[in-house]
């Protein structure tokens, strides 16, 4: 009887001792979350013109953009004309786009792209329908 | 008969207990061995970074207004040397000896955020150089306050 009790006690002690090792071996995993940066890019585009804005993704992630407004620089009133927005890489004196879209102002994401970490650019251009310069506002977010 | 059984019982029990303790000691020792086996070992790592020489030369021809600036973006494909040279400056009412600002940096917003700059006149020697990791960079040219008219310029950018 004494031997059985001793056996049980020793096995219990061993289980606890070895169990402690297992617990210390499973260290917690760390998760890095990169918060998004939101940019409101404003400017004026001439007929047939374009402009671009460079930004740096600090980590891989999703870039979303939408054309928030198009207005007359003189009257400040909304102008009903679509513009081309695009995402690409600065090269030379321009932004070489890999994705473009012709859009009218809307307060919902109109363009989304999964990009690596690095330097990219957002380009706004006349889609061929401008008859006079316009002011624009593009809102985009990136990692 | 009874005395025989008692005798056997009395002599075997200490043996069982001893065997049990030895087994337990070995098991505990094995557990401790695991701990010592997972202790960190010191490792010396030597990292050698290769610096590549320029393999591509790009010509940045542009114009800079009075008080203005302009920039040109380029891509470095491997860690290496970037050399920049203001080769020529000219234009109406712009002496070819006029000095301009010259810089290397990263495209940021609608400009080039420079990390290395110099003020220089046109020449044949390399005026800006540095080692850069793979990525997108830019060369910026600007009026440092000397221009009285729009200047045309040529800048060469040699990079890996």
């Amino acid at each position: 009887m004494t031997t059985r009790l001793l056996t049980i006690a020793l096995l219990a002690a061993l289980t606890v001792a070895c169990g402690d090792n297992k617990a210390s071996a499973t260290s917690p995993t760390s998760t890095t979350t990169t918060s998004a940066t939101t940019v409101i890019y404003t400017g004026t585009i001439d007929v047939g013109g374009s402009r671009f804005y460079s930004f740096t993704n600090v980590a891989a992630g999703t870039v979303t953009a939408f054309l928030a407004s198009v207005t007359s620089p003189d009257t400040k009133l909304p102008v009903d004309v679509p513009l081309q927005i695009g995402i690409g890489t600065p090269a030379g004196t321009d932004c070489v786009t890999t994705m473009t879209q012709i859009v009218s102002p809307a307060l919902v994401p109109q363009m989304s792209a999964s990009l690596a970490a690095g330097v990219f650019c957002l380009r706004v251009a006349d889609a061929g329908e401008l008859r006079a310069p316009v002011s624009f506002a593009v809102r985009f977010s990136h990692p | 008969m009874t005395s025989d059984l008692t005798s056997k019982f009395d002599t075997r029990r200490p043996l069982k207990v001893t065997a049990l303790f030895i087994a337990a000691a070995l098991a505990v020792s094995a557990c401790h061995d695991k701990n010592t086996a997972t202790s960190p070992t010191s490792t010396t790592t030597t990292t050698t970074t290769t610096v590549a020489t320029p393999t591509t030369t790009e010509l940045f021809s542009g114009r800079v207004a009075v008080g203005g600036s302009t920039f040109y973006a380029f891509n470095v494909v491997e860690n290496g040397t970037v050399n920049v040279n203001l080769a020529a400056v000219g234009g109406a009412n712009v002496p070819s000896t006029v000095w301009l600002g010259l810089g290397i940096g990263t495209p940021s917003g609608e400009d080039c955020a420079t990390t290395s700059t110099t003020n220089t006149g046109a020449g044949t020697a390399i005026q800006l150089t540095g080692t850069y990791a793979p990525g997108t960079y830019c060369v910026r040219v600007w009026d440092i306050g000397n221009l009285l008219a729009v200047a045309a310029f040529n800048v060469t950018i040699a990079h890996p």
Side-chain angles (χ1 to χ4, degrees):
Chain A
M1 183 63 182
T2 311
T3 309
R4 279 184 187 166
L5 282 173
L6 201 57
T7 307
I8 291 166
L10 281 169
L11 284 173
L14 280 172
T15 305
V16 170
C18 289
D20 280 351
N21 286 344
K22 279 182 185 172
S24 62
T26 53
S27 56
T29 54
S30 71
T31 305
T32 303
T33 305
T34 307
S35 60
T37 300
T38 299
V39 177
I40 297 174
Y41 174 36
T42 59
T44 302
I45 295 183
D46 294 327
V47 175
S50 69
R51 294 176 73 156
F52 70 96
Y53 187 101
S54 302
F55 59 94
T56 300
N57 276 359
V58 295
T62 304
V63 175
T64 57
F66 63 86
L67 181 63
S69 71
V70 179
T71 57
S72 164
D74 301 325
T75 65
K76 313 296 181 193
L77 294 173
V79 177
D80 186 19
V81 61
L83 293 176
Q84 184 192 66
I85 60 173
I87 295 172
T89 309
T93 55
D94 206 347
C95 170
V96 178
T97 53
T98 52
M99 157 185 280
T100 60
Q101 207 151 339
I102 295 173
V103 294
S104 293
L107 298 178
V108 292
Q110 295 169 320
M111 178 171 280
S112 179
S114 293
L115 300 175
V119 178
F120 297 92
C121 49
L122 186 137
R123 188 174 190 266
V124 183
D126 174 13
E129 297 191 33
L130 289 187
R131 299 292 174 263
V134 291
S135 297
F136 67 86
V138 171
R139 183 182 170 116
F140 70 99
S141 63
H142 65 90
Chain B
M1 186 65 178
T2 310
S3 82
D4 280 347
L5 283 173
T6 311
S7 163
K8 280 181 185 174
F9 188 78
D10 285 342
T11 53
R12 283 181 185 174
R13 186 190 278 177
L15 276 175
K16 278 185 181 175
V17 172
T18 308
L20 212 55
F21 271 111
I22 290 169
L26 285 172
V28 169
S29 166
C31 283
H32 287 175
D33 280 351
K34 280 181 189 170
N35 282 345
T36 54
T38 54
S39 62
T41 55
S42 91
T43 307
T44 304
T45 306
T46 305
T47 305
T48 306
T49 305
T50 305
V51 179
T53 54
T55 53
T56 303
T57 299
E58 297 189 45
L59 175 63
F60 173 26
S61 290
R63 299 165 75 82
V64 59
V66 177
S69 69
T70 183
F71 71 94
Y72 184 98
F74 59 98
N75 190 40
V76 171
V77 295
E78 63 177 316
N79 189 71
T81 303
V82 174
N83 295 327
V84 180
N85 166 240
L86 177 63
V89 180
N93 300 316
V94 178
S96 60
T97 55
V98 73
W99 280 33
L100 295 174
L102 192 63
I104 301 175
T106 308
S108 177
E110 288 194 315
D111 206 345
C112 171
T114 54
T115 52
S116 172
T117 64
T118 188
N119 294 337
T120 183
T124 54
I126 294 165
Q127 289 135 335
L128 265 183
T129 188
T131 302
Y132 293 84
T136 302
Y137 298 93
C138 50
V139 165
R140 186 175 192 262
V141 179
W142 69 97
D143 174 20
I144 57 173
N146 293 334
L147 293 180
L148 298 174
V150 175
F153 63 84
N154 286 337
V155 167
T156 59
I157 307 159
H159 62 87

